[in-house]
Amino acid sequence: IMDDITPLRARSAEVMARMAHLFPIEPAVRAFFGGSQPGAGPTGRRAQNGLDGAYVHYSLAADAAGPVTITITDARGDTAATLSSEPQPGPDLGAFAALAELFGFSGGAPLLPKSKGLHRAIWNLLYPQPRLPQGEVLFGSLSQPPAPPGAYTVTLRVEGEVQTHQLQVLPDPRGSVPAADFVAQREFLEDLGGVIEDLADRMDDLRSVRTQAKGLAGLAAGAGLQETDMQRVNSAVDSLAGKLTGIEEELQQTKSKSFYDPLDYPGKLTAELAFLYNTVAGSFSGAVDARPTDQAVARFGELRPQVDDVTERLQRVLDTDLAAFNELIRSLGLEPVVLKKDKNLIS
């Protein structure tokens, strides 16, 4: 069955002679029907549905020597998706990876072909999900937020050539969701996702500081310091690491290591935020076509002050305890703990 003959309509000798050509793109409907069926198995006798998303066709007159990239941007200029012939980092499924295939999740978008001929790429109408702190274990995974209906720009880049076409994402015709509700959902998820990503960045800093501090204790031990100086170093390391670990355990359930561990160990603040994110975006049952409920907005209002409190206490530890530790380390002739230069944190 030929489900999209747009490339045939636009095909010509001139078009096919171009090194790269991006064909007009048919409107895509924000409706999600695909995904594997648990238990069907690879040999099950079952027809395949068409893949959800926007179909993007391009042709190459010869094999491309460099990368082939398709970028989708929304009306605000924000990048909704990047498809590439080169490997891209996929979603971090963590402990859920073992069950991902059963539930129909992939490790990322398929690579774009670079060979001569006509090719189809599919954007799944989903934005990238925010990054969770490393080692965060959820009973499932963090959802990719669905793209709101509207106008998008699709850009093909091949060996210096750039071509663009417009893409319209249409709402599911089976419903009557106001356009403002889709906008409200997107804005809520952007706000909430930003909080989750900020916590992931801060957790990276926290763990980096703790690791460096413990490493400096080992270096100090091999530097022939006097016993009293070593006691001061060890005491400062224990104090700093203890405070950082206490904050870490407020943000993340560090006892959870496998997929089912959240059944035994309650999730901490990051897991609460992730659960709220999935509730508003949708998860196993597909995308949610609705604005955030009043309860979801209220829950975020409850969690946000908790996030602010924990991050402020972490900042105080870095501003005071880490600064004092680094002063001690410098006085002993050792290199201090450092943080990323792009963070507003003491080094």
Side-chain angles (χ1 to χ4, degrees):
I1 296 174
M2 303 180 70
D3 53 4
D4 186 353
I5 63 172
T6 302
L8 294 180
R9 290 194 175 105
R11 188 180 185 276
S12 68
E14 180 184 358
V15 164
M16 300 308 290
R18 295 172 184 164
M19 176 54 205
H21 181 77
L22 178 65
F23 290 89
I25 305 168
E26 288 291 298
V29 178
R30 180 179 140 142
F32 302 92
F33 305 108
S36 64
Q37 294 293 327
T43 60
R45 296 181 178 179
R46 181 173 297 177
Q48 293 183 347
N49 290 329
L51 296 176
D52 299 332
Y55 290 8
V56 180
H57 296 94
Y58 66 95
S59 64
L60 302 175
D63 294 351
V68 176
T69 304
I70 293 175
T71 306
I72 297 98
T73 54
D74 58 27
R76 298 188 309 181
D78 295 334
T79 299
T82 299
L83 309 177
S84 176
S85 60
E86 311 306 309
Q88 301 289 309
D92 182 9
L93 299 178
F96 184 61
L99 296 178
E101 186 175 354
L102 176 64
F103 286 101
F105 292 98
S106 66
L111 299 182
L112 297 181
K114 299 171 61 175
S115 57
K116 174 183 177 180
L118 176 65
H119 302 291
R120 169 185 286 180
I122 298 178
W123 175 39
N124 59 7
L125 304 184
L126 300 174
Y127 280 68
Q129 66 271 75
R131 183 174 71 95
L132 285 166
Q134 186 175 7
E136 179 68 44
V137 177
L138 305 176
F139 193 74
S141 64
L142 198 60
S143 299
Q144 289 184 254
Y152 293 80
T153 300
V154 179
T155 304
L156 172 70
R157 291 181 173 86
V158 183
E159 296 186 1
E161 291 196 31
V162 179
Q163 296 187 29
T164 64
H165 270 300
Q166 294 300 301
L167 163 66
Q168 284 294 133
V169 175
L170 306 175
D172 191 333
R174 299 170 299 174
S176 56
V177 181
D181 286 10
F182 289 115
V183 174
Q185 181 193 53
R186 179 69 192 140
E187 290 177 347
F188 181 90
L189 291 173
E190 281 184 316
D191 195 11
L192 176 54
V195 172
I196 293 173
E197 288 235 0
D198 181 65
L199 288 181
D201 289 339
R202 290 177 182 273
M203 193 72 85
D204 287 345
D205 290 330
L206 182 155
R207 289 165 173 161
S208 175
V209 168
R210 186 175 57 195
T211 299
Q212 290 181 68
K214 290 183 177 181
L216 281 170
L219 290 175
L225 298 181
Q226 295 182 3
E227 183 177 351
T228 54
D229 289 334
M230 275 306 307
Q231 290 176 348
R232 291 168 61 202
V233 170
N234 289 333
S235 177
V237 168
D238 291 343
S239 175
L240 178 60
K243 291 181 179 181
L244 292 174
T245 298
I247 292 173
E248 177 189 39
E249 291 175 349
E250 289 185 55
L251 292 173
Q252 187 171 341
Q253 178 52 266
T254 57
K255 294 180 180 179
S256 289
K257 304 297 181 183
S258 67
F259 177 69
Y260 290 106
D261 281 349
L263 296 174
D264 297 319
Y265 306 115
K268 298 300 179 67
L269 188 53
T270 302
E272 295 279 354
L273 293 166
F275 180 81
L276 178 59
Y277 193 94
N278 283 352
T279 300
V280 175
S283 51
F284 297 110
S285 59
V288 173
D289 286 349
R291 68 167 48 243
T293 63
D294 292 343
Q295 292 86 348
V297 174
R299 181 58 179 151
F300 192 22
E302 294 171 351
L303 292 173
R304 197 159 213 163
Q306 297 179 41
V307 172
D308 292 341
D309 174 66
V310 176
T311 55
E312 286 171 6
R313 284 189 282 117
L314 173 59
Q315 188 64 54
R316 285 199 297 271
V317 171
L318 297 174
D319 288 341
T320 56
D321 296 71
L322 176 57
F325 177 79
N326 278 340
E327 184 177 352
L328 170 63
I329 290 298
R330 286 191 183 97
S331 71
L332 298 174
L334 299 173
E335 292 296 323
V337 171
V338 295
L339 289 169
K340 297 177 183 178
K341 293 181 180 180
D342 59 344
K343 296 288 190 300
N344 296 318
L345 301 174
I346 191 73
S347 62

Coordinates of all heavy atoms in Angstrom, one line a residue, residues 10 64 67 130 149 173 209 211 279 283:
A10 N 6.5 14.7 -7.1 CA 7.5 15.8 -7.2 C 8.7 15.3 -8.0 O 9.6 16.1 -8.2 CB 7.9 16.3 -5.8
A64 N 26.6 10.2 0.0 CA 27.1 11.4 0.7 C 28.4 11.1 1.5 O 28.5 10.1 2.2 CB 26.0 11.9 1.7
P67 N 28.0 14.0 6.8 CA 26.8 13.7 7.5 C 25.5 14.1 6.7 O 25.6 15.2 6.0 CB 26.9 14.4 8.9 CG 28.4 14.7 9.0 CD 28.9 14.8 7.6
P130 N 13.8 15.6 29.1 CA 14.9 16.2 29.9 C 15.8 15.1 30.5 O 15.4 13.9 30.6 CB 14.2 16.9 31.1 CG 12.8 16.2 31.1 CD 12.5 15.8 29.8
P149 N 0.2 20.8 18.1 CA -0.1 21.1 16.7 C 0.4 22.5 16.3 O 0.5 23.4 17.1 CB -1.6 21.0 16.7 CG -2.0 20.1 17.8 CD -0.9 20.4 18.9
P173 N -8.2 14.5 14.8 CA -9.5 14.9 14.4 C -10.6 14.2 15.2 O -11.8 14.7 15.2 CB -9.6 14.5 12.9 CG -8.7 13.4 12.8 CD -7.5 13.7 13.7
V209 N 32.4 17.0 43.1 CA 33.1 17.6 44.3 C 33.4 16.5 45.3 O 34.5 16.4 45.8 CB 32.2 18.6 45.0 CG1 32.7 19.0 46.3 CG2 32.1 19.8 44.1
T211 N 33.8 13.2 44.8 CA 34.9 12.3 44.3 C 36.3 13.0 44.3 O 37.3 12.4 44.7 CB 34.6 12.0 42.8 OG1 33.3 11.2 42.8 CG2 35.7 11.1 42.2
T279 N 2.9 12.1 33.9 CA 1.5 12.2 34.1 C 0.9 13.3 33.1 O -0.1 13.1 32.5 CB 1.1 12.6 35.5 OG1 1.6 11.6 36.4 CG2 -0.4 12.8 35.7
S283 N 2.5 8.4 28.9 CA 3.6 7.4 28.9 C 3.2 6.2 28.1 O 3.1 6.2 26.9 CB 4.0 7.1 30.4 OG 2.8 6.7 31.1

